[in-house]
Amino acid sequence: MKKRSWVAVLGTPIALFSATLIASEKLYNFAFKRVDYVPETSADKQKYADAYWSYVDWLHRQPAQTWQLNLDDEANRLVAKYVPAKNTSRRTVIVSHGYKGDGETMANYAYMFHNMGYNVLLPDDRGHGGSAGQYISFGWQDRRDYLGWIDQVCHQTGSQAEIVLFGVSMGGATVEMMSGENLPNQVKAIIADCGYTSIEEELAYLLKRQFHLPKYPFVPIVSFINRHRMGYFLSDVSSVEQLRHNKRPIFFIHGDKDVYVPSWMLKKNYQAAGGSKELWEVPNATHAESFWIDPAEYQKHVDAFLKRYLTD
């Protein structure tokens, strides 16, 4: 075979491999790199925009405090907004926000819990809002950061504090991942709305659905990039594995029309969870829409669950 033919034979797979690496790097940056703005909500949620902004306006009017973690470590400094209850209360909910959101984007849930008599803590996760971090950890590093927020709540409220962990979407997965940690006795219950099973499964699912790309070779390469940048493989980031170690009452909420985090992930998470558990699959709700369809009904279900596990 002539020299030029050998170059052609070798050049094609090398070019293909290089293109795959470049595409994987772009995918990683698109999915994992922080953005310093909150992206516009999906078209099907635009009908809730006026209601959403009314909740944000309410939050801005509250006598909120700014809390911080890792104050002397700029690369790991985290911030949260604390809204005290109307009347002195030992009950606090820590609300975990969704992908590329921040604490403020959870204003509607803050309003709900505030009306239920709770103090509300709204953290900005790593790589979001006012917190430090170049990359999004999809709940994995956040699960440990939240242990620091729990300590601050206990310090603020006292040893008799009753803490609820609540999250939606990525926040739902975050509190599911927290369930496997050694939580203090003050944590009484967990509520996870539309959390995914693992970032590896979620990424593979969205690659196929949105970009018509296969899991292999992209997800393994992205996982290797993340190991280099963040110190862990995507296979480590698992709600399912953490839920197996759960000992707290946990309430799973999920829209039955969710195509972003499909319902089979809900079932897998629910089956894996240890401890007392309940499930509410909300009819006709898409991803993270369960509250918006009927806020009063949502609050009714949340309140009924919590009354079974918190003291009067």
Side-chain angles (χ1 to χ4, degrees):
M1 186 177 288
K2 294 182 180 180
K3 183 177 180 180
R4 183 174 297 177
S5 299
W6 277 109
V7 171
V9 169
L10 292 173
T12 300
I14 290 173
L16 183 59
F17 179 69
S18 297
T20 302
L21 287 179
I22 292 169
S24 298
E25 175 71 22
K26 288 184 176 179
L27 174 62
Y28 182 82
N29 287 331
F30 172 77
F32 289 78
K33 199 168 185 178
R34 79 172 292 150
V35 293
D36 290 315
Y37 63 91
V38 176
E40 193 172 81
T41 190
S42 58
D44 65 312
K45 304 292 195 312
Q46 289 296 332
K47 58 181 175 285
Y48 304 119
D50 289 344
Y52 169 78
W53 287 112
S54 71
Y55 288 119
V56 172
D57 288 342
W58 168 85
L59 182 61
H60 288 171
R61 295 194 303 271
Q62 301 312 301
Q65 305 166 14
T66 297
W67 288 12
Q68 297 190 62
L69 285 177
N70 311 321
L71 189 58
D72 298 324
D73 182 359
E74 181 131 1
N76 293 290
R77 187 176 300 166
L78 306 173
V79 300
K81 182 172 288 189
Y82 178 78
V83 181
K86 297 174 190 175
N87 302 308
T88 302
S89 175
R90 64 185 181 185
R91 293 182 178 177
T92 301
V93 60
I94 303 177
V95 178
S96 183
H97 64 76
Y99 177 62
K100 295 185 177 178
D102 56 26
E104 185 177 282
T105 62
M106 306 300 279
N108 55 312
Y109 303 102
Y111 178 86
M112 177 185 76
F113 280 105
H114 187 73
N115 282 346
M116 292 165 61
Y118 286 74
N119 308 301
V120 181
L121 186 66
L122 300 166
D124 289 355
D125 290 353
R126 286 177 181 267
H128 295 81
S131 290
Q134 296 181 10
Y135 298 100
I136 298 168
S137 80
F138 288 89
W140 194 238
Q141 289 185 322
D142 307 303
R143 84 194 196 282
R144 290 182 174 163
D145 294 331
Y146 276 59
L147 296 176
W149 294 127
I150 290 171
D151 287 344
Q152 285 205 15
V153 169
C154 291
H155 179 75
Q156 173 83 8
T157 314
S159 61
Q160 298 303 308
E162 293 186 322
I163 299 172
V164 175
L165 305 177
F166 174 91
V168 179
S169 191
M170 186 184 79
T174 299
V175 298
E176 289 167 350
M177 292 176 198
M178 288 181 70
S179 74
E181 299 302 305
N182 185 21
L183 300 173
N185 292 332
Q186 287 87 350
V187 177
K188 302 300 182 183
I190 301 171
I191 302 174
D193 187 334
C194 60
Y196 42 76
T197 51
S198 71
I199 190 53
E200 189 174 56
E201 287 187 329
E202 179 67 10
L203 182 59
Y205 170 79
L206 292 178
L207 268 179
K208 183 177 180 180
R209 176 176 176 80
Q210 295 187 349
F211 301 105
H212 309 290
L213 293 173
K215 176 178 180 179
Y216 299 100
F218 296 103
V219 172
I221 296 174
V222 168
S223 182
F224 182 80
I225 294 171
N226 196 70
R227 175 67 177 82
H228 178 69
R229 303 270 172 84
M230 301 283 282
Y232 53 87
F233 293 107
L234 297 189
S235 57
D236 296 329
V237 186
S238 173
S239 299
V240 168
E241 292 306 314
Q242 290 289 101
L243 284 164
R244 296 190 200 282
H245 304 287
N246 176 55
K247 297 177 182 177
R248 299 297 191 279
I250 185 165
F251 184 27
F252 295 92
I253 302 172
H254 213 103
D256 73 350
K257 295 294 190 297
D258 193 337
V259 295
Y260 190 78
V261 177
S263 59
W264 62 262
M265 290 193 179
L266 162 68
K267 294 175 176 61
K268 193 170 179 179
N269 282 337
Y270 181 81
Q271 290 167 1
S276 176
K277 53 190 175 182
E278 299 180 29
L279 182 153
W280 179 34
E281 198 163 6
V282 182
N284 301 313
T286 60
H287 184 67
E289 192 185 19
S290 297
F291 171 91
W292 297 105
I293 284 181
D294 190 339
E297 186 70 9
Y298 193 96
Q299 179 174 329
K300 178 181 174 182
H301 277 78
V302 167
D303 194 36
F305 168 75
L306 292 175
K307 281 181 176 177
R308 286 193 276 276
Y309 300 105
L310 274 65
T311 58
D312 292 332

